[in-house]
Amino acid sequence: MPLVRIDIIENRRTPDEVKKLADIVQDVMRETFDAPARDRYQIITEHKPGNLIAEDTGLGYTRTDDLVMIQITQQGRDEDNKKALYSTLAERLKEQTGLSGDDLIIAVSENTPADWSFGHGVAQFLEGQL
């Protein structure tokens, strides 16, 4: 059950472009993380220019205001799944939106079934509902 946060700089993309970005992320999650249908949990936040800061960690990347930071909280994916996600997202976003690889940052975090409640204050994984 991945939870995805997508952070971008405001007024750089139209609402349709933001939706396309989110749709691409979801499609790639379904492919590389085998996320089930209707397992879509995305938070998209637009930041004022200057409020989304990303240096290059000494890698020589040139960041622009087209920057996209994607944070994925998930469970059960191995290193191969994660590497496939990174490369597939970079390829699709470049192909379908023109996003430069220099402007894409992805972070994947692990959690456990006990870390989720999908409604009504119930731990559905722990209660056997999922």
Side-chain angles (χ1 to χ4, degrees):
M1 304 296 170
L3 171 63
V4 179
R5 296 187 62 92
I6 302 171
D7 292 276
I8 57 178
I9 295 174
E10 69 182 5
N11 300 321
R12 296 294 294 183
R13 294 171 175 84
T14 67
D16 286 342
E17 290 169 333
V18 172
K19 181 179 182 327
K20 181 161 189 72
L21 175 70
D23 289 346
I24 292 167
V25 172
Q26 180 64 18
D27 291 346
V28 172
M29 297 276 298
R30 300 256 348 256
E31 291 173 32
T32 61
F33 276 15
D34 198 27
R38 298 190 47 81
D39 185 22
R40 186 171 183 166
Y41 300 93
Q42 296 177 320
I43 302 164
I44 301 167
T45 305
E46 294 188 66
H47 302 271
K48 293 185 181 309
N51 287 349
L52 189 60
I53 300 168
E55 294 184 352
D56 69 353
T57 315
L59 296 169
Y61 300 141
T62 302
R63 309 281 191 209
T64 73
D65 283 346
D66 288 335
L67 181 68
V68 175
M69 295 177 111
I70 301 171
Q71 301 172 52
I72 302 168
T73 303
Q74 56 78 48
Q75 56 184 316
R77 276 61 179 211
D78 63 23
E79 287 181 7
D80 289 336
N81 295 126
K82 293 172 188 176
K83 288 183 347 184
L85 173 91
Y86 303 148
S87 63
T88 305
L89 264 177
E91 290 168 12
R92 296 270 174 81
L93 290 170
K94 174 83 171 157
E95 288 171 5
Q96 296 182 32
T97 71
L99 182 69
S100 166
D102 283 6
D103 280 325
L104 177 62
I105 298 173
I106 306 164
V108 177
S109 301
E110 303 276 337
N111 68 7
T112 70
D115 297 320
W116 294 95
S117 172
F118 294 95
H120 299 280
V122 175
Q124 286 84 1
F125 283 123
L126 299 179
E127 300 297 326
Q129 296 172 350
L130 289 173

